[in-house]
Amino acid sequence: MPLFLVRNDITKMECDAIVNAANSSLLGGGGVDGAIHKAAGPELLEKTKTLGGCEPGKAKLTKGYKLPASYIIHTAGPKWHGGNEGEADILKSCYVSCLEIAKKNKFKTVAFPLISTGIYGYPKDEAMRIACDTIEEFLISGPDMMVYLVFFDTGSYCIGKELYKEIACFIDDNYYEAYREPGHDRDARLQNSASITGNMFPSEVGRSFTEDDITECQYSIESMVRHMDESFTDYLLKKIDEKGITDTECYKRANVDRRLFSKIRSNRLYHPKKYTAIAFADALRLNLAETNELLMKAGYILTHSSKADTIIEYCINNNIYDIYKINETLFSFDQPLLG
Ligand code: ADP
């Protein structure tokens, strides 16, 4: 049921279906439509000629032909005329129509481009909001489907310029990278270090230890030792009970697949990836201290040596717990996503 934001060429996506932001003639065009027709081959046009076009907001299905995706869902988005001509409703309807087709055909994986945001001129931040809200609403209602929102370009529009600027300042103030000495590739070294210490000892490379670091490490080790008898799974399940939410609410809020949750639930000693663990902390609305407590059960801690961790800390401090918002924020800064 999760939604993922990815940067890719949608014609390369190996999904059950990709969505084509077509025009109402369905006879091909520029942008993503042109790219899809080119990659699918001439048989696609032969087929779309027989479909009788597509009204804005509606959708039609064809095979994927030479694409890695098995099917293409064609939809015609609204042209932007300033926002007072029902553009938002039509755009929402595009996503819903495509998702209904995907559900009816039992597709498990579907990839969307950001419909109408190219030639049709829809402002990207608004289109992105509609896309995410509509897909999330649809996924919450239960279909077992993974939806990818595929971006071709990078930009701050995902979260809006003001929030982007504010978080960029927070990163500047807190991310250790800012103090890095020339010649040290701190992030790469930390990422290469798969051991617990790679996550627990942010100051191991690039600069000398400070008292704060040492206190942090001592705190980390003490806390780990204190909690060694309680596993990540134990703590997670305890917190789910304490917070009075259901398992389903928890894994949905965490943008985690039901099967993965079952695996964690049934294995007391399950060792999650760091960003899966953070996703659960987020689903449980844990504060910073509790988040680190949960992470420590799996041998991790949030650190200012990681830009993603710094962003997550910002979100927790500002009560941003909507996983999709957090992921949009991480995505805006080119960081790995939660879940
Ligand atoms: P529209 O006519 O609906 O505006 P466009 O194809 O012009 O459609 O653009 C829709 C979005 O698709 C834009 O954000 C554009 O950057 C993006 N896009 C264009 N080509 C690709 C591609 N190959 N893969 C994914 N997204 C793409």
Side-chain angles (χ1 to χ4, degrees):
M1 67 294 329
L3 164 66
F4 295 103
L5 311 182
V6 293
R7 245 182 266 292
N8 204 347
D9 175 347
I10 203 164
T11 64
K12 307 269 190 297
M13 299 282 297
E14 291 180 27
C15 290
D16 289 335
I18 62 167
V19 170
N20 181 13
N23 55 52
S24 47
S25 76
L26 294 188
L27 298 179
V32 72
D33 193 9
I36 289 175
H37 271 269
K38 191 167 168 215
E43 275 180 290
L44 174 59
L45 182 60
E46 288 312 308
K47 180 66 191 175
T48 54
K49 274 181 188 165
T50 69
L51 295 180
C54 178
E55 272 176 56
K58 298 276 189 313
K60 293 199 173 167
L61 184 69
T62 67
K63 287 197 274 184
Y65 300 99
K66 293 189 176 144
L67 287 173
S70 310
Y71 292 90
I72 307 166
I73 307 172
H74 305 262
T75 186
K79 287 187 187 146
W80 180 252
H81 292 293
N84 293 321
E85 297 191 16
E87 292 96 325
D89 288 341
I90 299 173
L91 187 59
K92 183 173 174 153
S93 167
C94 288
Y95 285 97
V96 173
S97 304
C98 294
L99 289 165
E100 290 294 351
I101 289 183
K103 185 176 164 187
K104 196 169 142 210
N105 288 279
K106 300 195 166 49
F107 294 158
K108 294 274 180 246
T109 48
V110 181
F112 283 87
L114 208 51
I115 300 166
S116 283
T117 60
I119 299 160
Y120 281 2
Y122 210 114
K124 285 193 172 171
D125 49 353
E126 287 178 41
M128 159 96 188
R129 199 50 296 125
I130 291 174
C132 288
D133 289 351
T134 311
I135 296 167
E136 284 159 27
E137 209 177 294
F138 185 85
L139 292 179
I140 288 285
S141 72
D144 192 11
M145 197 189 292
M146 282 210 225
V147 178
Y148 297 91
L149 197 52
V150 182
F151 294 77
F152 214 34
D153 52 359
T154 149
S156 59
Y157 57 82
C158 292
I159 53 167
K161 283 199 177 68
E162 284 313 307
L163 182 57
Y164 187 89
K165 259 198 257 164
E166 202 177 313
I167 296 174
C169 284
F170 185 80
I171 291 171
D172 269 357
D173 289 346
N174 292 284
Y175 178 41
Y176 283 166
E177 172 77 6
Y179 306 111
R180 190 178 74 175
E181 289 164 25
H184 285 284
D185 190 356
R186 184 180 183 76
D187 264 1
R189 288 179 60 179
L190 280 174
Q191 274 157 17
N192 287 339
S193 163
S195 67
I196 285 176
T197 49
N199 294 299
M200 301 286 287
F201 295 86
S203 48
E204 73 179 318
V205 290
R207 69 187 169 83
S208 48
F209 282 88
T210 66
E211 269 183 34
D212 278 354
D213 291 332
I214 292 165
T215 313
E216 185 184 341
C217 294
Q218 281 171 349
Y219 168 73
S220 309
I221 292 166
E222 278 166 20
S223 302
M224 272 192 76
V225 170
R226 194 157 22 95
H227 294 296
M228 256 165 65
D229 51 340
E230 192 183 37
S231 71
F232 174 83
T233 300
D234 293 338
Y235 188 88
L236 176 67
L237 298 179
K238 182 179 82 183
K239 282 286 173 194
I240 290 175
D241 284 346
E242 268 176 34
K243 299 277 173 179
I245 60 170
T246 62
D247 286 0
T248 314
E249 266 175 292
C250 182
Y251 68 73
K252 281 193 172 173
R253 278 189 194 175
N255 202 31
V256 161
D257 189 74
R258 179 173 47 80
R259 281 163 291 224
L260 174 59
F261 183 80
S262 304
K263 240 195 236 173
I264 296 174
R265 203 181 208 308
S266 58
N267 177 2
R268 229 200 118 236
L269 297 178
Y270 186 87
H271 187 255
K273 290 190 180 140
K274 183 172 181 182
Y275 289 145
T276 306
I278 296 173
F280 280 113
D282 180 61
L284 291 162
R285 311 301 189 237
L286 301 185
N287 64 29
L288 200 56
E290 291 171 318
T291 298
N292 273 324
E293 200 169 352
L294 175 67
L295 290 181
M296 275 186 241
K297 303 291 177 195
Y300 307 119
I301 194 165
L302 288 178
T303 156
H304 286 168
S305 302
S306 148
K307 198 183 271 187
D309 285 15
T310 310
I311 293 169
I312 288 155
E313 183 180 323
Y314 174 92
C315 291
I316 295 171
N317 289 343
N318 288 278
N319 283 320
I320 301 173
Y321 284 113
D322 176 341
I323 190 106
Y324 297 113
K325 286 228 167 60
I326 297 176
N327 277 344
E328 285 161 29
T329 308
L330 289 166
F331 188 76
S332 294
F333 286 90
D334 263 331
Q335 297 303 306
L337 307 188
L338 300 185

